[in-house]
């Protein structure tokens, strides 16, 4: 049986472990932290990701805590005017066969942890190096422990050690955006009468996203602001609620009230990387943010990590390790590169200053409003990452 070491126990690593286990592989996850945890924030799980999670047996867990939003509602920053309102919920589920969920990241992680047998997860293991021995790969962890496997998967995030070992040291690119994230108890916002929609407010140099999570008991927000530099050493830090409110002076009161109702916020410097030409060398490959870090402006980072695991499992089921990893990256790189580029493009699109370009964007959005989720994102949502032949056929056309 092919033995696989997955380095990193985030959403990507755990979802991959589950897909690989279901494909009959002998999988072990090694995570540097002493416990598995996620940041206190929301995550959108679009149909291309929920399709895989359902197949992995997580449908009930997702339904228990996930919220199905009625629509994407894109709005103008100052007056709240609707720019685009595209159906989600039933309409999307009827078309693509799987729901779009918005949920707390901790709930998604908990569902994954619950599904992976505990003896397969090894906490307190920080990978320091690896050696490709030709017929196996050896991982070295802090403290000197070594483990051998047929395949090693670096699911170790944007600052991936595996990536550095494979392709040399490089720095993630600061995108000029900083995010404040917060979660607010929904009852504090009752007076606003918020619809169960994903609302995206667009304005000059910044945007604001909010949606319900945790069975509608909480509202998650992400406030993204352009900033020239990020001087702190850490890429995530505690932020001041007052600073976040102040960054939205002149914006619609709904935006400022949601931020102001938070007890705390965290700031994130948003980094990305240009698409890599290769993800694999010999028996070692990358997955998730380690392979394709992107701005969160398509809400696809975690979804693509989940897809990666499904495709990797399908490749390893059909081919010997080295050939499987080549096939995996060949299938995955074009799709994730497209999303990296689209995510970066949304920075400009969302943050246009008021003027001709903004008016043109608004007209385009109004024209495509009702059919937008289907026309613009059909290629994304209908994709089944475990269907290898289908994926390969699509790539050829
Ligand atoms: P990570 O979650 O970073 O996990 C990596 C794991 O590897 C960690 O547990 C880490 O401790 C471990 N690790 C690191 N180094 C080592 C080592 N040397 N040895 C062992 N273990 C190691 N995506 C969506 O799909 N939908 C969204 O709505 C969405 N919203 C977002 C909003 C914001 C503001 C941001 C910043 C991101 C958002 N994303 C979203 C993106 C998503 O969060 C990431 O793409 C996803 O979490 C990446 O998962 P991962 O498992 O690849 O990496």
């Amino acid at each position: 049986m092919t033995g696989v070491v997955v380095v990193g126990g985030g959403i990507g690593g755990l979802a991959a472990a589950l897909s690989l286990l279901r494909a009959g592989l002998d999988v072990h996850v090694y995570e540097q932290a002493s416990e598995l945890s996620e940041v206190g924030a929301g995550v959108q799980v679009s149909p291309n990701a929920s399709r895989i999670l359902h197949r992995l047996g997580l449908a009930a867990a997702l339904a228990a805590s996930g919220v199905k939003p009625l629509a994407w509602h894109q709005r103008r920053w100052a007056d709240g005017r609707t720019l685009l309102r595209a159906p989600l919920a039933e309409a999307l589920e009827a078309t693509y066969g799987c729901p779009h969920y918005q949920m707390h990241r901790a709930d998604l992680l908990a569902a994954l942890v619950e599904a992976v047998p505990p003896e397969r997860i090894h906490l307190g293991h920080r990978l320091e190096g690896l050696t490709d021995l030709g017929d196996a790969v050896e991982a070295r962890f802090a403290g000197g422990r070594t483990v051998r496997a047929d395949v090693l998967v670096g699911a170790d995030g944007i600052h991936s050690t595996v990536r550095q070992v494979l392709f040399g040291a490089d720095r993630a690119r600061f995108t000029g955006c900083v995010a404040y994230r917060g979660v607010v108890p929904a009852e504090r916002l009752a007076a606003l009468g918020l619809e169960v929609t994903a609302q995206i407010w667009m304005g000059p140099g910044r945007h604001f996203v909010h949606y319900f999570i945790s069975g509608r008991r909480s509202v998650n927000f992400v406030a993204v602001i352009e900033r020239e530099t990020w001087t702190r050493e850490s890429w995530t830090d505690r932020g001041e609620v007052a600073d976040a409110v102040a960054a939205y002076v002149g914006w619609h009161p709904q935006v400022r009230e949601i931020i102001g109702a938070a007890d705390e916020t965290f700031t994130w410097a948003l980094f990305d990387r240009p698409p890599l030409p290769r993800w694999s060398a010999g028996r070692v490959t990358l997955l998730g943010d380690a392979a394709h870090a992107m701005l969160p402006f398509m809400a696809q980072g975690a979804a693509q990590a989940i897809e990666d695991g499904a495709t990797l499992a399908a490749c390893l089921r059909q081919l010997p390790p080295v050939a499987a990893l080549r096939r995996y990256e060949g299938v995955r790189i074009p799709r994730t590169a497209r999303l990296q580029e689209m995510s970066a493009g949304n920075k400009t699109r969302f943050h246009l200053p008021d003027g001709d370009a903004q008016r043109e964007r608004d007209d385009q959005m109004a024209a495509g409003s009702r059919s937008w989720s289907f026309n613009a994102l059909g290629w994304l949502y209908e994709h089944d990452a475990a269907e290898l032949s289908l994926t390969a056929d699509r790539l050829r056309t």
Side-chain angles (χ1 to χ4, degrees), residues 228-258:
E228 301 237 313
T229 52
W230 178 261
T231 46
R232 292 176 235 218
E233 232 172 74
S234 149
W235 61 306
T236 172
D237 214 338
R238 194 171 288 271
E240 294 298 328
V241 173
D243 291 346
V245 176
Y248 287 83
V249 167
W251 281 56
H252 192 277
Q254 180 169 311
V255 170
R256 296 162 54 77
E257 281 178 40
I258 292 174

Side-chain angles (χ1 to χ4, degrees), residues 40 51 112 206 232 237 240-241 252 259 290 300 347-348:
R51 178 171 295 121
L112 291 164
R206 60 205 61 202
R232 292 176 235 218
D237 214 338
E240 294 298 328
V241 173
H252 192 277
I259 305 171
Q300 279 295 315
K347 175 186 167 192
T348 311

Side-chain angles (χ1 to χ4, degrees), residues 100-169:
H100 184 108
Y101 278 121
Q102 295 174 333
M103 55 197 301
H104 199 293
R105 300 177 71 96
D107 290 334
L108 176 56
L109 192 82
L112 291 164
V113 173
E114 178 80 7
V116 178
E119 68 276 13
R120 300 266 168 192
I121 301 177
H122 308 272
L123 301 174
H125 279 74
R126 182 162 55 81
L127 183 91
E128 289 192 333
L130 56 93
T131 311
D132 195 331
L133 304 168
D135 59 348
V137 56
E138 186 174 83
R140 281 191 311 285
F141 296 95
R145 187 170 172 208
T146 58
V147 175
R148 282 189 186 193
D150 299 301
V151 169
L152 185 142
V153 182
D156 49 346
I158 188 166
H159 303 296
S160 167
T161 301
V162 177
R163 180 193 169 103
Q164 280 188 33
V165 173
L166 291 191
F167 302 118

